[in-house]
Amino acid sequence: MRLPPALCTAIAAAAVACGLAAPVASAPVAASHGMVVSAHRLATEAGVDVLRRGGNAIDAAVAVGYALAVVYPVAGNLGGGGFMTIRFADGSSAFLDFRETAPAAATEGMYLDALGTPVPQASTRGHLAAGVPGSVAGLEHARERFGTLDGATLLAPAVALAEEGFVLEEDDAAMLVAAAPELARDPAAAAIYLVDGGPPASGARLVQRDLGATLRAVGREGAAGFYAGPVAAEIARASREGGGLIGIEDLAAYQVRERAPVSCDYRGFTVVSAPPPSSGGVTLCLLLNVLEGFPLATLGRDSADYVHLVAEAMRLAFVERNTRLGDPDFVANPVAQLLSDGYAALLRGRIDPARVTPSPAMLAPIDRGESPQTTHYSVVDEAGNAVAVTTTLNGAFGAKVVAGSTGVLLNNEMDDFTVKPGVPNLFGLVQGRANAIAPGKRPLSSMTPTVVTKDGALVLVVGSPGGPRIITTVLQVIVNLIDHGMTVSDAVAAPRLHHQWLPDVLFVESGRLSVTVAKALEARGHEVREGRPWGEAQAVLVGGPALVTPATDGARYFGAADPRGPLGAAVGY
Ligand code: GLY
C-alpha cells in the first residue's frame, strides 16, 4: 500500500509507505458530456451523478464538496474553507472566497507567550486553532447564485454516505491509522473515527450520524442550518468548552465574498485564478510572466539551465508572496504592480543564469516538509461551464477536534496567519505583517483553483493541495501542457520541483533530476533536496488528451486524477 501525500507528514513512520518512486500516469479519462475529477472516487461519482441528471457544473461541484466532507475527512470539510473559480460557458467568470475568518476575539499575539515566543501547537491543534468556517456558506452561495438544483438534492449523496456509511478501503483506513493518536485526544473525534480507541480496519463501515444530521439541517435550511440555530449553538458551545474563540456571533456574521479573479496571459493562453486572500493566482501569474521571457521548450525540462531558471523564478516570486500579500479587506495588495510586465522584467533581470541568488540568512526556518491536507476538484459540464474548487482544513483532519455533537471537524487555519513575523508556519513559510492576525480577517492562502482558456474557449481546469507547493504544482501542470506538449495525465504525474525562498532549498520529487543535473545545480549553489512526492493535482483538459493532440471518437473532456492520490478518480460520461 502506498500512502497518499495527505498522510505522509502526519506521522514519521508513514514516510516508509509514502515511497520515493516517481508517480506513474495512466491514460486520460475521455468523455464527451461532462467530467469530474476529485480526490475520492465516491465524491467524484456523486458529482457525475448530478451532471447526468441535468445539473450544471456548479451543482456537481456542490455535491462533490459535501460528499468529500464525509468520505475524505482528512481534507474535505464543512468546518474549513476554500475558494471556487468558475468559468461560465458564456466566457464570463466568477470567484467565490469562502476562506475562514479570525474570530472577533482574536488578537495579533494570541499564539505567543509572555516572552513573545509562539506557544507550541497553539495555532495548529485544538479549538483555539480554528477560524470561523466558510465552506457551507461558500457551497450554499454557489448553489443559490449559480446552481439549478435544490439543496436537499445536492446534499442527498453526502447525507446517505454519512448516515448509511461507506466501506473503508485500505487507503481510507490508512488515513485514520495515521491520525488516530491525535484524534484519540478529542472524545468527540474519537467517537466518530476510532473503534475502541484505535483506527478502524479496512473493510469496516464508517457511519457519521451526527454529520448526517448537520448535513440534513443544511439541506433543509441552507446556510442558516449551519450558521444559526442548534448547529451554530453547538459549535460555539464546543469552542467555548475547548478553549476556542468561535462564538455564535462569529458564525452569524460569516460572509462569502465574490471577488474578481486574477488573470494573466501566458504564451497566448489566458489563466484565471484565485485573488487575495489567496496568494495563489498572483504568485502563479507572476511566475508565468517571468517564465514567459525564457525559452522553456527549447531549454528542455530536464536540463540544469531550465531547472535553475524555474527555481530562481520561484525563489523571487515567493519573496513577494510571503511579504506583501494579505486579506484585501485589511491590507492593500500590490497586485497590479506585481503582475505588470515591468515587474516580470525586473525579476527576470535579477536571475543570474550561472549562480543562485541566496535567500537572506536572516533566520533558519525549519523544513517542515509538505503538509498537503487540502483537496482540489475540477468539474466541467455539457454546456462548457467549468468549476475549480480548492478547499481545506489546513492540517490533516484540521485541528483534530470535532465541534461537539455536530460531527464537524474544525480547521486549524489560524496557523496560515503570520503567528509571529519571521517565524515559519506549518508549511515552513516565513511571512510578514500583511498577514498578521486581526478579528474578522482571512489568513493568506496558497490555494490556486485555476481555469485556462485560449481565444475565448475553455482549455483546462486544474488545482492541487500542497500548501505553498500548490502554486508551483499548478504552474508545472500548465507549463508541462503548454511548453512541453504533454498529455494531461503526464503533465499531472510528472515529477515536480519547488522553491519558496525560505528555506533556501530546491525541493525535487524523486525522478525529477538526473544525478548529473543535480550535481550541475549544486555547482551553481543550489541545495538540492530530493523527497517523496507532493501535491495531488486534479485536472480536466478540453479538446484532446494533450494540447497538441486532437480528440478522437467525439470525446471533448480529458480528466486526470493525480496518481499521487490513491483514492482519487476522474469520471466522465
Ligand atoms: N491551508 C493551506 C492554504 O490555504 O494555503
Side-chain angles (χ1 to χ4, degrees):
M1 176 186 61
R2 163 103 171 267
L3 290 186
L7 292 189
C8 291
T9 51
I11 53 170
V16 176
C18 290
L20 292 174
V24 178
S26 40
V29 174
S32 48
H33 300 285
M35 178 72 66
V36 179
V37 193
S38 88
H40 202 289
R41 176 168 289 279
L42 294 173
T44 292
E45 283 168 358
V48 174
D49 196 45
V50 166
L51 292 180
R52 282 183 199 278
R53 291 159 62 192
N56 67 15
I58 293 88
D59 293 317
V62 170
V64 172
Y66 284 124
L68 282 171
V70 179
V71 299
Y72 197 63
V74 68
N77 66 82
L78 301 188
F83 301 122
M84 181 182 290
T85 304
I86 309 174
R87 202 267 182 181
F88 297 100
D90 68 5
S92 61
S93 54
F95 180 82
L96 301 186
D97 163 5
F98 47 99
R99 184 75 163 157
E100 301 90 329
T101 55
T107 57
E108 186 170 341
M110 64 187 277
Y111 298 114
L112 306 179
D113 66 16
L115 299 174
T117 307
V119 177
Q121 295 200 330
S123 63
T124 56
R125 221 203 152 280
H127 285 271
L128 190 62
V132 182
S135 289
V136 173
L139 294 177
E140 289 304 293
H141 188 99
R143 182 182 65 73
E144 286 169 8
R145 279 275 278 138
F146 307 119
T148 62
L149 300 179
D150 63 83
T153 301
L154 298 182
L155 279 136
V159 169
L161 288 162
E163 293 183 345
E164 293 161 24
F166 65 100
V167 176
L168 297 169
E169 305 284 336
E170 210 178 336
D171 294 304
D172 297 300
M175 298 198 186
L176 294 167
V177 169
E182 293 259 51
L183 295 172
R185 292 166 62 187
D186 179 57
I192 297 166
Y193 298 111
L194 305 182
V195 179
D196 298 329
S202 66
R205 182 170 282 272
L206 178 62
V207 176
Q208 300 171 75
R209 285 201 187 79
D210 288 345
L211 185 58
T214 298
L215 287 162
R216 277 187 189 276
V218 175
R220 272 193 317 270
E221 298 164 46
F226 186 90
Y227 293 90
V231 172
E234 179 62 359
I235 294 172
R237 185 204 61 75
S239 176
R240 197 167 51 246
E241 278 190 11
L245 299 180
I246 299 175
I248 205 144
E249 307 77 17
D250 291 307
L251 291 159
Y254 186 84
Q255 299 235 313
V256 176
R257 296 267 192 267
E258 281 194 33
R259 303 189 190 274
V262 163
S263 80
C264 55
D265 292 329
Y266 181 68
R267 304 199 202 279
F269 292 80
T270 301
V271 175
V272 179
S273 193
S278 180
S279 63
V282 174
T283 314
L284 173 67
C285 280
L286 179 56
L287 276 163
L288 289 169
N289 290 346
V290 171
L291 293 177
E292 195 169 21
F294 296 120
L296 297 186
T298 312
L299 288 170
R301 68 188 292 280
D302 294 330
S303 71
D305 286 346
Y306 177 102
V307 175
H308 174 73
L309 288 176
V310 173
E312 290 300 280
M314 289 176 179
R315 177 202 301 278
L316 291 169
F318 269 84
V319 175
E320 313 295 337
R321 183 249 176 246
N322 293 2
T323 57
R324 301 183 67 189
L325 300 177
D327 182 347
D329 294 342
F330 287 74
V331 297
N333 289 292
V335 176
Q337 181 203 21
L338 292 175
L339 298 190
S340 65
D341 291 345
Y343 212 75
L346 182 81
L347 294 196
R348 226 178 282 126
R350 285 190 190 151
I351 297 176
D352 178 343
R355 290 291 307 164
V356 300
T357 305
S359 301
M362 58 191 223
L363 34 72
I366 307 152
D367 167 26
R368 291 166 196 233
E370 184 214 12
S371 186
Q373 291 80 15
T374 295
T375 190
H376 176 85
Y377 50 103
S378 295
V379 183
V380 187
D381 67 18
E382 170 107 59
N385 299 300
V387 181
V389 181
T390 315
T391 181
T392 186
L393 287 167
N394 199 26
F397 296 89
K400 279 96 172 165
V401 289
V402 164
S405 63
T406 65
V408 172
L409 272 164
L410 291 173
N411 67 84
N412 59 352
E413 217 69 57
M414 293 295 283
D415 189 68
D416 268 352
F417 280 117
T418 306
V419 167
K420 181 176 179 174
V423 173
N425 73 358
L426 191 65
F427 303 105
L429 280 171
V430 178
Q431 308 184 96
R433 289 294 320 282
N435 189 30
I437 301 171
K441 194 174 174 184
R442 292 163 197 236
L444 188 65
S445 171
S446 298
M447 292 188 285
T448 314
T450 299
V451 173
V452 179
T453 64
K454 188 163 199 290
D455 301 328
L458 179 67
V459 169
L460 174 70
V461 191
V462 66
S464 176
R469 297 177 196 214
I470 293 172
I471 301 167
T472 53
T473 294
V474 172
L475 172 83
Q476 287 166 91
V477 173
I478 291 173
V479 167
N480 287 345
L481 286 165
I482 294 178
D483 293 85
H484 306 303
M486 291 184 185
T487 67
V488 64
S489 304
D490 288 339
V492 162
R496 302 170 182 137
L497 56 98
H498 175 76
H499 202 301
Q500 61 182 43
W501 177 45
L502 292 169
D504 192 349
V505 172
L506 172 53
F507 297 99
V508 293
E509 286 185 322
S510 184
R512 179 67 184 85
L513 304 181
S514 68
V515 174
T516 315
V517 169
K519 285 209 167 95
L521 290 163
E522 278 161 5
R524 291 181 200 199
H526 289 281
E527 181 184 335
V528 178
R529 197 174 302 167
E530 186 173 285
R532 54 189 177 242
W534 62 75
E536 194 179 332
Q538 316 293 2
V540 183
L541 190 68
V542 181
L547 287 171
V548 291
T549 314
T552 51
D553 299 333
R556 271 198 300 164
Y557 299 138
F558 296 81
D562 198 322
R564 293 166 184 80
L567 291 163
V571 178
Y573 80 107

PDB file of all heavy atoms in Angstrom, residues 166-194:
ATOM      1  N   PHE A 166     -19.961   4.232   4.629  1.00  0.00           N
ATOM      2  CA  PHE A 166     -19.288   3.697   3.436  1.00  0.00           C
ATOM      3  C   PHE A 166     -18.161   2.794   3.915  1.00  0.00           C
ATOM      4  O   PHE A 166     -17.639   2.953   5.024  1.00  0.00           O
ATOM      5  CB  PHE A 166     -18.785   4.819   2.518  1.00  0.00           C
ATOM      6  CG  PHE A 166     -17.700   5.667   3.127  1.00  0.00           C
ATOM      7  CD1 PHE A 166     -16.360   5.464   2.798  1.00  0.00           C
ATOM      8  CD2 PHE A 166     -17.999   6.659   4.054  1.00  0.00           C
ATOM      9  CE1 PHE A 166     -15.355   6.231   3.364  1.00  0.00           C
ATOM     10  CE2 PHE A 166     -16.999   7.434   4.633  1.00  0.00           C
ATOM     11  CZ  PHE A 166     -15.676   7.225   4.294  1.00  0.00           C
ATOM     12  N   VAL A 167     -17.833   1.841   3.087  1.00  0.00           N
ATOM     13  CA  VAL A 167     -16.820   0.846   3.469  1.00  0.00           C
ATOM     14  C   VAL A 167     -15.437   1.449   3.237  1.00  0.00           C
ATOM     15  O   VAL A 167     -15.137   1.969   2.163  1.00  0.00           O
ATOM     16  CB  VAL A 167     -17.007  -0.445   2.655  1.00  0.00           C
ATOM     17  CG1 VAL A 167     -15.897  -1.443   2.973  1.00  0.00           C
ATOM     18  CG2 VAL A 167     -18.374  -1.054   2.959  1.00  0.00           C
ATOM     19  N   LEU A 168     -14.615   1.373   4.270  1.00  0.00           N
ATOM     20  CA  LEU A 168     -13.277   1.948   4.181  1.00  0.00           C
ATOM     21  C   LEU A 168     -12.381   1.054   3.337  1.00  0.00           C
ATOM     22  O   LEU A 168     -12.202  -0.123   3.646  1.00  0.00           O
ATOM     23  CB  LEU A 168     -12.666   2.101   5.580  1.00  0.00           C
ATOM     24  CG  LEU A 168     -13.397   3.058   6.528  1.00  0.00           C
ATOM     25  CD1 LEU A 168     -12.850   2.903   7.943  1.00  0.00           C
ATOM     26  CD2 LEU A 168     -13.260   4.502   6.059  1.00  0.00           C
ATOM     27  N   GLU A 169     -11.841   1.648   2.269  1.00  0.00           N
ATOM     28  CA  GLU A 169     -10.805   0.955   1.505  1.00  0.00           C
ATOM     29  C   GLU A 169      -9.512   1.027   2.316  1.00  0.00           C
ATOM     30  O   GLU A 169      -9.411   1.804   3.279  1.00  0.00           O
ATOM     31  CB  GLU A 169     -10.593   1.650   0.152  1.00  0.00           C
ATOM     32  CG  GLU A 169     -11.838   1.804  -0.686  1.00  0.00           C
ATOM     33  CD  GLU A 169     -12.256   0.493  -1.354  1.00  0.00           C
ATOM     34  OE1 GLU A 169     -11.376  -0.362  -1.546  1.00  0.00           O
ATOM     35  OE2 GLU A 169     -13.455   0.330  -1.632  1.00  0.00           O
ATOM     36  N   GLU A 170      -8.540   0.302   1.850  1.00  0.00           N
ATOM     37  CA  GLU A 170      -7.256   0.289   2.559  1.00  0.00           C
ATOM     38  C   GLU A 170      -6.695   1.712   2.718  1.00  0.00           C
ATOM     39  O   GLU A 170      -6.163   2.076   3.768  1.00  0.00           O
ATOM     40  CB  GLU A 170      -6.276  -0.563   1.749  1.00  0.00           C
ATOM     41  CG  GLU A 170      -5.252  -1.255   2.593  1.00  0.00           C
ATOM     42  CD  GLU A 170      -4.341  -2.130   1.738  1.00  0.00           C
ATOM     43  OE1 GLU A 170      -4.759  -2.551   0.649  1.00  0.00           O
ATOM     44  OE2 GLU A 170      -3.218  -2.351   2.185  1.00  0.00           O
ATOM     45  N   ASP A 171      -6.820   2.508   1.669  1.00  0.00           N
ATOM     46  CA  ASP A 171      -6.240   3.856   1.714  1.00  0.00           C
ATOM     47  C   ASP A 171      -7.064   4.827   2.571  1.00  0.00           C
ATOM     48  O   ASP A 171      -6.522   5.770   3.122  1.00  0.00           O
ATOM     49  CB  ASP A 171      -6.058   4.398   0.299  1.00  0.00           C
ATOM     50  CG  ASP A 171      -5.022   3.591  -0.458  1.00  0.00           C
ATOM     51  OD1 ASP A 171      -3.889   3.480   0.032  1.00  0.00           O
ATOM     52  OD2 ASP A 171      -5.349   3.036  -1.522  1.00  0.00           O
ATOM     53  N   ASP A 172      -8.381   4.595   2.674  1.00  0.00           N
ATOM     54  CA  ASP A 172      -9.191   5.374   3.626  1.00  0.00           C
ATOM     55  C   ASP A 172      -8.739   5.061   5.046  1.00  0.00           C
ATOM     56  O   ASP A 172      -8.548   5.955   5.881  1.00  0.00           O
ATOM     57  CB  ASP A 172     -10.685   5.002   3.537  1.00  0.00           C
ATOM     58  CG  ASP A 172     -11.330   5.309   2.213  1.00  0.00           C
ATOM     59  OD1 ASP A 172     -11.345   6.484   1.837  1.00  0.00           O
ATOM     60  OD2 ASP A 172     -11.830   4.371   1.568  1.00  0.00           O
ATOM     61  N   ALA A 173      -8.607   3.749   5.305  1.00  0.00           N
ATOM     62  CA  ALA A 173      -8.250   3.318   6.658  1.00  0.00           C
ATOM     63  C   ALA A 173      -6.870   3.831   7.052  1.00  0.00           C
ATOM     64  O   ALA A 173      -6.632   4.189   8.211  1.00  0.00           O
ATOM     65  CB  ALA A 173      -8.299   1.788   6.744  1.00  0.00           C
ATOM     66  N   ALA A 174      -5.973   3.882   6.056  1.00  0.00           N
ATOM     67  CA  ALA A 174      -4.599   4.336   6.350  1.00  0.00           C
ATOM     68  C   ALA A 174      -4.596   5.775   6.877  1.00  0.00           C
ATOM     69  O   ALA A 174      -3.767   6.138   7.719  1.00  0.00           O
ATOM     70  CB  ALA A 174      -3.750   4.225   5.096  1.00  0.00           C
ATOM     71  N   MET A 175      -5.507   6.590   6.370  1.00  0.00           N
ATOM     72  CA  MET A 175      -5.571   7.971   6.857  1.00  0.00           C
ATOM     73  C   MET A 175      -5.933   8.007   8.339  1.00  0.00           C
ATOM     74  O   MET A 175      -5.408   8.827   9.102  1.00  0.00           O
ATOM     75  CB  MET A 175      -6.634   8.759   6.090  1.00  0.00           C
ATOM     76  CG  MET A 175      -6.341   8.849   4.637  1.00  0.00           C
ATOM     77  SD  MET A 175      -7.265  10.154   3.884  1.00  0.00           S
ATOM     78  CE  MET A 175      -6.820   9.841   2.186  1.00  0.00           C
ATOM     79  N   LEU A 176      -6.839   7.130   8.722  1.00  0.00           N
ATOM     80  CA  LEU A 176      -7.254   7.100  10.125  1.00  0.00           C
ATOM     81  C   LEU A 176      -6.169   6.492  11.003  1.00  0.00           C
ATOM     82  O   LEU A 176      -5.987   6.913  12.149  1.00  0.00           O
ATOM     83  CB  LEU A 176      -8.577   6.349  10.256  1.00  0.00           C
ATOM     84  CG  LEU A 176      -9.743   7.076   9.566  1.00  0.00           C
ATOM     85  CD1 LEU A 176     -10.967   6.183   9.442  1.00  0.00           C
ATOM     86  CD2 LEU A 176     -10.108   8.350  10.322  1.00  0.00           C
ATOM     87  N   VAL A 177      -5.432   5.543  10.460  1.00  0.00           N
ATOM     88  CA  VAL A 177      -4.297   4.973  11.210  1.00  0.00           C
ATOM     89  C   VAL A 177      -3.315   6.097  11.537  1.00  0.00           C
ATOM     90  O   VAL A 177      -2.850   6.248  12.671  1.00  0.00           O
ATOM     91  CB  VAL A 177      -3.590   3.872  10.386  1.00  0.00           C
ATOM     92  CG1 VAL A 177      -2.274   3.463  11.036  1.00  0.00           C
ATOM     93  CG2 VAL A 177      -4.503   2.661  10.223  1.00  0.00           C
ATOM     94  N   ALA A 178      -3.013   6.904  10.523  1.00  0.00           N
ATOM     95  CA  ALA A 178      -2.005   7.950  10.709  1.00  0.00           C
ATOM     96  C   ALA A 178      -2.460   8.996  11.728  1.00  0.00           C
ATOM     97  O   ALA A 178      -1.654   9.511  12.508  1.00  0.00           O
ATOM     98  CB  ALA A 178      -1.721   8.622   9.370  1.00  0.00           C
ATOM     99  N   ALA A 179      -3.754   9.296  11.716  1.00  0.00           N
ATOM    100  CA  ALA A 179      -4.247  10.385  12.565  1.00  0.00           C
ATOM    101  C   ALA A 179      -4.762   9.900  13.920  1.00  0.00           C
ATOM    102  O   ALA A 179      -5.058  10.733  14.793  1.00  0.00           O
ATOM    103  CB  ALA A 179      -5.369  11.127  11.830  1.00  0.00           C
ATOM    104  N   ALA A 180      -4.864   8.589  14.108  1.00  0.00           N
ATOM    105  CA  ALA A 180      -5.525   8.043  15.303  1.00  0.00           C
ATOM    106  C   ALA A 180      -4.975   8.598  16.624  1.00  0.00           C
ATOM    107  O   ALA A 180      -5.765   8.981  17.506  1.00  0.00           O
ATOM    108  CB  ALA A 180      -5.470   6.519  15.282  1.00  0.00           C
ATOM    109  N   PRO A 181      -3.645   8.666  16.795  1.00  0.00           N
ATOM    110  CA  PRO A 181      -3.161   9.147  18.095  1.00  0.00           C
ATOM    111  C   PRO A 181      -3.651  10.561  18.419  1.00  0.00           C
ATOM    112  O   PRO A 181      -3.948  10.873  19.576  1.00  0.00           O
ATOM    113  CB  PRO A 181      -1.630   9.117  17.935  1.00  0.00           C
ATOM    114  CG  PRO A 181      -1.377   8.140  16.838  1.00  0.00           C
ATOM    115  CD  PRO A 181      -2.553   8.242  15.917  1.00  0.00           C
ATOM    116  N   GLU A 182      -3.748  11.406  17.403  1.00  0.00           N
ATOM    117  CA  GLU A 182      -4.216  12.784  17.625  1.00  0.00           C
ATOM    118  C   GLU A 182      -5.725  12.817  17.818  1.00  0.00           C
ATOM    119  O   GLU A 182      -6.235  13.512  18.695  1.00  0.00           O
ATOM    120  CB  GLU A 182      -3.848  13.643  16.399  1.00  0.00           C
ATOM    121  CG  GLU A 182      -2.371  13.840  16.222  1.00  0.00           C
ATOM    122  CD  GLU A 182      -1.935  15.199  16.713  1.00  0.00           C
ATOM    123  OE1 GLU A 182      -2.278  15.558  17.856  1.00  0.00           O
ATOM    124  OE2 GLU A 182      -1.254  15.883  15.947  1.00  0.00           O
ATOM    125  N   LEU A 183      -6.448  12.066  16.982  1.00  0.00           N
ATOM    126  CA  LEU A 183      -7.909  12.064  17.092  1.00  0.00           C
ATOM    127  C   LEU A 183      -8.344  11.492  18.448  1.00  0.00           C
ATOM    128  O   LEU A 183      -9.380  11.878  18.998  1.00  0.00           O
ATOM    129  CB  LEU A 183      -8.524  11.259  15.948  1.00  0.00           C
ATOM    130  CG  LEU A 183      -8.308  11.853  14.538  1.00  0.00           C
ATOM    131  CD1 LEU A 183      -8.781  10.869  13.464  1.00  0.00           C
ATOM    132  CD2 LEU A 183      -9.037  13.191  14.374  1.00  0.00           C
ATOM    133  N   ALA A 184      -7.536  10.586  18.990  1.00  0.00           N
ATOM    134  CA  ALA A 184      -7.882   9.959  20.271  1.00  0.00           C
ATOM    135  C   ALA A 184      -7.915  10.974  21.415  1.00  0.00           C
ATOM    136  O   ALA A 184      -8.556  10.740  22.440  1.00  0.00           O
ATOM    137  CB  ALA A 184      -6.878   8.854  20.579  1.00  0.00           C
ATOM    138  N   ARG A 185      -7.252  12.100  21.221  1.00  0.00           N
ATOM    139  CA  ARG A 185      -7.202  13.096  22.304  1.00  0.00           C
ATOM    140  C   ARG A 185      -8.499  13.909  22.397  1.00  0.00           C
ATOM    141  O   ARG A 185      -8.700  14.647  23.357  1.00  0.00           O
ATOM    142  CB  ARG A 185      -6.012  14.033  22.081  1.00  0.00           C
ATOM    143  CG  ARG A 185      -4.679  13.315  22.263  1.00  0.00           C
ATOM    144  CD  ARG A 185      -3.513  14.108  21.740  1.00  0.00           C
ATOM    145  NE  ARG A 185      -3.341  15.380  22.423  1.00  0.00           N
ATOM    146  CZ  ARG A 185      -2.473  16.316  22.048  1.00  0.00           C
ATOM    147  NH1 ARG A 185      -1.696  16.118  21.011  1.00  0.00           N
ATOM    148  NH2 ARG A 185      -2.365  17.431  22.727  1.00  0.00           N
ATOM    149  N   ASP A 186      -9.336  13.828  21.378  1.00  0.00           N
ATOM    150  CA  ASP A 186     -10.601  14.566  21.399  1.00  0.00           C
ATOM    151  C   ASP A 186     -11.748  13.557  21.452  1.00  0.00           C
ATOM    152  O   ASP A 186     -11.977  12.828  20.484  1.00  0.00           O
ATOM    153  CB  ASP A 186     -10.715  15.432  20.141  1.00  0.00           C
ATOM    154  CG  ASP A 186     -12.033  16.196  20.118  1.00  0.00           C
ATOM    155  OD1 ASP A 186     -12.304  16.949  21.080  1.00  0.00           O
ATOM    156  OD2 ASP A 186     -12.799  16.032  19.146  1.00  0.00           O
ATOM    157  N   PRO A 187     -12.487  13.501  22.560  1.00  0.00           N
ATOM    158  CA  PRO A 187     -13.534  12.469  22.679  1.00  0.00           C
ATOM    159  C   PRO A 187     -14.552  12.512  21.544  1.00  0.00           C
ATOM    160  O   PRO A 187     -14.979  11.458  21.067  1.00  0.00           O
ATOM    161  CB  PRO A 187     -14.200  12.802  24.026  1.00  0.00           C
ATOM    162  CG  PRO A 187     -13.153  13.569  24.793  1.00  0.00           C
ATOM    163  CD  PRO A 187     -12.329  14.310  23.771  1.00  0.00           C
ATOM    164  N   ALA A 188     -14.906  13.706  21.088  1.00  0.00           N
ATOM    165  CA  ALA A 188     -15.908  13.790  20.007  1.00  0.00           C
ATOM    166  C   ALA A 188     -15.353  13.209  18.714  1.00  0.00           C
ATOM    167  O   ALA A 188     -16.063  12.528  17.964  1.00  0.00           O
ATOM    168  CB  ALA A 188     -16.335  15.243  19.803  1.00  0.00           C
ATOM    169  N   ALA A 189     -14.072  13.465  18.427  1.00  0.00           N
ATOM    170  CA  ALA A 189     -13.456  12.919  17.213  1.00  0.00           C
ATOM    171  C   ALA A 189     -13.271  11.409  17.356  1.00  0.00           C
ATOM    172  O   ALA A 189     -13.543  10.643  16.420  1.00  0.00           O
ATOM    173  CB  ALA A 189     -12.108  13.596  16.952  1.00  0.00           C
ATOM    174  N   ALA A 190     -12.818  10.985  18.527  1.00  0.00           N
ATOM    175  CA  ALA A 190     -12.575   9.557  18.752  1.00  0.00           C
ATOM    176  C   ALA A 190     -13.870   8.762  18.597  1.00  0.00           C
ATOM    177  O   ALA A 190     -13.862   7.650  18.043  1.00  0.00           O
ATOM    178  CB  ALA A 190     -11.973   9.345  20.135  1.00  0.00           C
ATOM    179  N   ALA A 191     -14.973   9.322  19.057  1.00  0.00           N
ATOM    180  CA  ALA A 191     -16.251   8.598  18.985  1.00  0.00           C
ATOM    181  C   ALA A 191     -16.665   8.343  17.540  1.00  0.00           C
ATOM    182  O   ALA A 191     -17.366   7.370  17.246  1.00  0.00           O
ATOM    183  CB  ALA A 191     -17.328   9.400  19.714  1.00  0.00           C
ATOM    184  N   ILE A 192     -16.236   9.207  16.643  1.00  0.00           N
ATOM    185  CA  ILE A 192     -16.627   9.041  15.237  1.00  0.00           C
ATOM    186  C   ILE A 192     -15.625   8.190  14.460  1.00  0.00           C
ATOM    187  O   ILE A 192     -15.999   7.267  13.735  1.00  0.00           O
ATOM    188  CB  ILE A 192     -16.741  10.425  14.556  1.00  0.00           C
ATOM    189  CG1 ILE A 192     -17.846  11.242  15.219  1.00  0.00           C
ATOM    190  CG2 ILE A 192     -17.001  10.278  13.054  1.00  0.00           C
ATOM    191  CD1 ILE A 192     -17.833  12.711  14.862  1.00  0.00           C
ATOM    192  N   TYR A 193     -14.366   8.520  14.617  1.00  0.00           N
ATOM    193  CA  TYR A 193     -13.357   7.966  13.699  1.00  0.00           C
ATOM    194  C   TYR A 193     -12.609   6.761  14.258  1.00  0.00           C
ATOM    195  O   TYR A 193     -11.878   6.116  13.514  1.00  0.00           O
ATOM    196  CB  TYR A 193     -12.351   9.057  13.314  1.00  0.00           C
ATOM    197  CG  TYR A 193     -13.008  10.206  12.590  1.00  0.00           C
ATOM    198  CD1 TYR A 193     -13.118  11.460  13.178  1.00  0.00           C
ATOM    199  CD2 TYR A 193     -13.554  10.019  11.320  1.00  0.00           C
ATOM    200  CE1 TYR A 193     -13.743  12.500  12.520  1.00  0.00           C
ATOM    201  CE2 TYR A 193     -14.197  11.046  10.662  1.00  0.00           C
ATOM    202  CZ  TYR A 193     -14.279  12.288  11.270  1.00  0.00           C
ATOM    203  OH  TYR A 193     -14.914  13.307  10.613  1.00  0.00           O
ATOM    204  N   LEU A 194     -12.737   6.479  15.554  1.00  0.00           N
ATOM    205  CA  LEU A 194     -11.987   5.375  16.136  1.00  0.00           C
ATOM    206  C   LEU A 194     -12.935   4.296  16.663  1.00  0.00           C
ATOM    207  O   LEU A 194     -14.108   4.580  16.965  1.00  0.00           O
ATOM    208  CB  LEU A 194     -11.083   5.887  17.262  1.00  0.00           C
ATOM    209  CG  LEU A 194     -10.108   7.033  16.872  1.00  0.00           C
ATOM    210  CD1 LEU A 194      -9.237   7.412  18.059  1.00  0.00           C
ATOM    211  CD2 LEU A 194      -9.256   6.670  15.666  1.00  0.00           C
TER     212      LEU A 194
END
